[in-house]
């Protein structure tokens, strides 16, 4: 007969294993939603020709209709963090998925720019809950001293949606048209909405409370503490700048650049762009694992930014590269700048424990400022460079849609990406080491 103490310890060990398995499953459901919203986020890049033709858009206009997503996504991070801490992820992720579906249907149902912009705004509004919602679930269900690896795995699973978009959306657009293709993704979102409601749980055990913060007043106090922390802003700006290869390049301008500057076919450009996401998918959990194993945050962040800056410069300023060389470089770039995923662990470690959602939401808000401000800037700089080169002639087109942008136009418009990554590397010297030693 088992000693009562041994029996109790055995039951506790089994409960931990059950909770760990359940926790990974719940976080995986949240990550599927993040992957889904990421697919919706990058869809315009794979549909550039069709969208510009349908809405009669210049490069500047195309940049604007894509970046409107971020006008909802970025400012929503503050209330998203508070809401997740107060009410928990289950109901909020389900409702957010519904908003994405409505926005997608609205976007496909019109030829009016402003109605389509409203649809993109709603997609951004719903998507604002996805990434931070998964990280909030991770802080509830998974060990804290593995947070960097978990945030890396979450980011990696999200980019699967981007890879699917780059490799399959172009094919579906050719077969079904862009509107029907997006409508299919909306139908998938309806199914996912019910799956999230059935599968996501907010708390371990039988606790009735949905969130980790008891009142909005307490949440606002924590928000003030986090927002006044200068280290939060240094960390967030690192994440913003080192993430530019995703938010500005791969999510919108990567495929057009590879097609028009390097002469790749639409399929080859989509494949090369997806290899960047593949590199990030593999690199993000690896960088998080390395950070946790080294018990250091700053070193992998510095290493990743420095290497990414060198590779980005090579991709932009060596246009004679072969297709294979471009593919290899895009993959390596993804591996290196995936160190960006560590910033969410740093943000969590700089903040009060119960306010994990708020801390990571503020961090995510700062990270995404780059997309909101700089995606349309690239379009403007392309048009500006074309006008300057052609002495004001702005009606030069290719295939009845694309203005005749040269390699030099793209190099001028995208130059701030490697410069921003270089600044990110410098910011690591102003960041405090934060590795959490709790729960080891």
């Amino acid at each position: 007969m088992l000693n009562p103490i041994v029996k109790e310890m055995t039951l506790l060990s089994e409960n931990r294993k059950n909770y760990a398995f359940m926790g990974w499953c719940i976080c995986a459901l949240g990550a599927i939603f993040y992957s889904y919203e990421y697919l919706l986020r990058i869809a315009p890049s794979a549909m550039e020709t069709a969208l510009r033709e349908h809405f009669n858009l210049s490069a500047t206009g195309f940049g604007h209709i894509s970046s409107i997503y971020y006008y909802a996504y970025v400012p929503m991070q503050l209330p998203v963090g508070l809401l997740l801490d107060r009410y928990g992820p289950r109901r909020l992720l389900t409702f957010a998925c519904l908003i994405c579906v409505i926005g997608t249907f609205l976007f496909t149902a019109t030829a009016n720019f402003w109605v389509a912009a409203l649809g993109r705004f709603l997609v951004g509004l719903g998507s604002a809950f996805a990434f931070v919602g998964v990280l909030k679930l991770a802080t509830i269900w998974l060990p804290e001293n593995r947070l960097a690896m978990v945030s890396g795995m979450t980011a990696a699973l999200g980019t699967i949606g981007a890879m699917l978009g780059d490799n399959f959306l172009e094919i579906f657009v050719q077969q079904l048209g862009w509107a029907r293709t997006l409508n299919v993704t909306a139908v998938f979102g309806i199914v996912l909405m019910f799956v999230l409601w059935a599968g996501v749980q907010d708390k371990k055990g039988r606790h009735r409370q949905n969130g980790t913060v008891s009142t909005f007043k307490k949440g606002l106090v924590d928000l003030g503490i986090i927002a006044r922390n200068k280290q939060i802003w240094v960390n967030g700006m690192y994440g913003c700048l080192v993430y530019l290869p995703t938010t500005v390049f791969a999510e919108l301008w990567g495929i057009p650049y590879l097609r028009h500057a390097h002469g790749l076919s639409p399929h080859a450009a989509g494949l090369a762009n997806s290899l960047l996401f593949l590199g990030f998918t593999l690199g993000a959990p690896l960088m998080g694992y390395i950070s946790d194993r080294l018990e250091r945050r700053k070193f992998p962040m510095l290493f990743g930014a420095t290497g990414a800056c060198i590779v980005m410069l090579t991709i932009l300023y060596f246009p004679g590269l072969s297709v294979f060389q471009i593919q290899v470089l895009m993959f390596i770039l993804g591996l290196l700048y995936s160190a960006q995923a560590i910033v969410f662990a740093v943000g969590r470690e700089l903040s009060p424990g119960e306010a994990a959602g708020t801390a990571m939401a503020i961090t995510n808000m700062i990270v995404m400022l780059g997309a909101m401000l700089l995606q349309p800037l690239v379009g403007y700089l392309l048009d500006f460079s074309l006008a300057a080169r052609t002495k004001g002639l702005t009606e030069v087109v290719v295939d009845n849609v694309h203005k005749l942008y040269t390699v030099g136009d793209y190099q001028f418009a995208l130059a701030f990406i490697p410069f921003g990554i270089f600044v990110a590397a410098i910011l690591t010297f102003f960041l405090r080491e934060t590795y959490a030693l709790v729960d080891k």
Side-chain angles (χ1 to χ4, degrees):
M1 186 173 180
L2 286 175
N3 184 299
I5 297 177
V6 174
K7 186 176 181 180
E8 184 176 349
M9 290 179 66
T10 302
L11 289 174
L12 285 173
S13 177
E14 290 177 355
N15 284 336
R16 286 196 195 96
K17 291 179 180 178
N18 290 335
Y19 278 135
F21 177 75
M22 185 182 298
W24 283 108
C25 291
I26 289 172
C27 289
L29 286 179
I32 291 172
F33 175 47
Y34 177 54
S35 184
Y36 170 68
E37 75 84 7
Y38 214 128
L39 174 68
L40 298 180
R41 185 193 308 184
I42 63 97
S45 177
M47 302 175 177
E48 183 212 10
T49 299
L51 292 179
R52 287 179 64 175
E53 193 171 51
H54 183 77
F55 293 107
N56 191 26
L57 298 173
S58 66
T60 304
F62 178 63
H64 276 302
I65 203 169
S66 177
S67 65
I68 285 169
Y69 167 102
Y70 290 101
Y71 290 121
Y73 186 100
V74 173
M76 271 300 294
Q77 293 306 300
L78 291 180
V80 160
L82 289 172
L83 289 169
L84 285 167
D85 285 335
R86 179 66 184 90
Y87 294 111
R90 180 179 181 235
R91 64 185 74 176
L92 292 175
L93 290 180
T94 304
F95 181 70
C97 190
L98 173 62
I99 296 298
C100 286
V101 169
I102 294 172
T104 302
F105 279 132
L106 188 62
F107 185 80
T108 61
T110 184
N112 182 280
F113 176 88
W114 294 108
V115 176
L118 176 60
R120 282 292 289 175
F121 185 88
L122 290 176
V123 172
L125 190 70
S127 298
F129 290 84
F131 185 64
V132 179
V134 182
L135 293 184
K136 179 63 180 180
L137 286 170
T139 63
I140 295 171
W141 286 93
L142 301 175
E144 176 147 355
N145 67 327
R146 291 292 177 262
L147 186 57
M149 185 175 68
V150 171
S151 62
M153 292 179 70
T154 303
L157 288 171
T159 54
I160 291 174
M163 288 189 289
L164 290 174
D166 284 339
N167 286 287
F168 294 105
L169 281 182
E170 183 79 29
I171 298 173
F172 280 108
V173 168
Q174 291 174 359
Q175 298 295 322
L176 303 176
W178 70 269
R180 290 180 65 186
T181 298
L182 284 180
N183 284 336
V184 170
T185 68
V187 171
F188 175 81
I190 295 173
V191 176
L192 179 59
M193 181 178 63
F194 289 102
V195 172
L196 290 170
W197 180 257
V200 172
Q201 295 184 35
D202 290 330
K203 294 287 286 184
K204 291 182 181 179
R206 303 188 183 191
H207 299 284
R208 296 282 183 185
Q209 183 182 337
N210 291 305
T212 53
V213 173
S214 56
T215 65
F216 267 115
K217 182 178 179 181
K218 180 64 171 67
L220 289 171
V221 170
D222 288 336
L223 173 62
I225 293 172
I226 295 166
R228 290 193 300 269
N229 188 334
K230 294 179 181 178
Q231 287 286 296
I232 286 284
W233 289 90
V234 172
N235 179 58
M237 285 307 300
Y238 169 92
C240 173
L241 294 172
V242 85
Y243 202 45
L244 292 178
T246 286
T247 53
V248 175
F249 190 70
E251 286 185 7
L252 188 62
W253 294 107
I255 292 177
Y257 166 76
L258 294 172
R259 287 179 61 189
H260 302 304
H262 286 284
L264 272 65
S265 68
H267 176 72
L271 177 59
N273 204 56
S274 70
L275 286 172
L276 183 143
F277 288 119
L278 177 61
F280 189 94
T281 301
L282 299 176
L286 178 62
M287 286 286 189
Y289 174 78
I290 290 171
S291 176
D292 287 334
R293 290 289 293 176
L294 293 178
E295 302 187 1
R296 295 289 183 272
R297 303 299 189 214
K298 294 176 59 174
F299 175 74
M301 291 168 70
L302 174 61
F303 175 80
T306 303
C309 180
I310 295 170
V311 176
M312 192 76 226
L313 284 169
T314 305
I315 292 171
L316 286 181
Y317 296 104
F318 289 85
L321 298 170
S322 69
V323 174
F324 177 74
Q325 289 172 325
I326 293 170
Q327 291 172 343
V328 171
L329 286 171
M330 292 286 282
F331 177 75
I332 294 173
L333 177 61
L335 281 176
L336 290 167
Y337 84 90
S338 67
Q340 178 267 351
I342 299 172
V343 302
F344 298 100
V346 174
R348 169 67 185 86
E349 292 159 359
L350 288 167
S351 308
E354 75 279 359
T358 301
M360 290 181 290
I362 290 179
T363 301
N364 200 37
M365 179 191 73
I366 302 169
V367 167
M368 290 303 175
L369 284 173
M372 185 178 73
L373 299 175
L374 298 178
Q375 275 193 358
L377 177 62
V378 174
Y380 170 79
L381 291 175
L382 280 172
D383 286 337
F384 175 83
S385 179
L386 174 67
R389 180 169 51 81
T390 59
K391 297 181 171 33
L393 180 63
T394 59
E395 298 301 321
V396 181
V397 297
V398 175
D399 298 330
N400 298 318
V401 177
H402 295 291
K403 292 177 180 177
L404 191 59
Y405 303 118
T406 65
V407 174
D409 294 331
Y410 278 104
Q411 288 174 340
F412 171 74
L414 297 170
F416 62 81
I417 296 180
F419 176 75
I421 301 172
F422 175 72
V423 173
I426 294 175
L427 286 176
T428 61
F429 294 100
F430 298 91
L431 188 64
R432 188 170 74 244
E433 183 59 66
T434 62
Y435 178 77
L437 298 176
V438 296
D439 293 338
K440 289 189 72 176

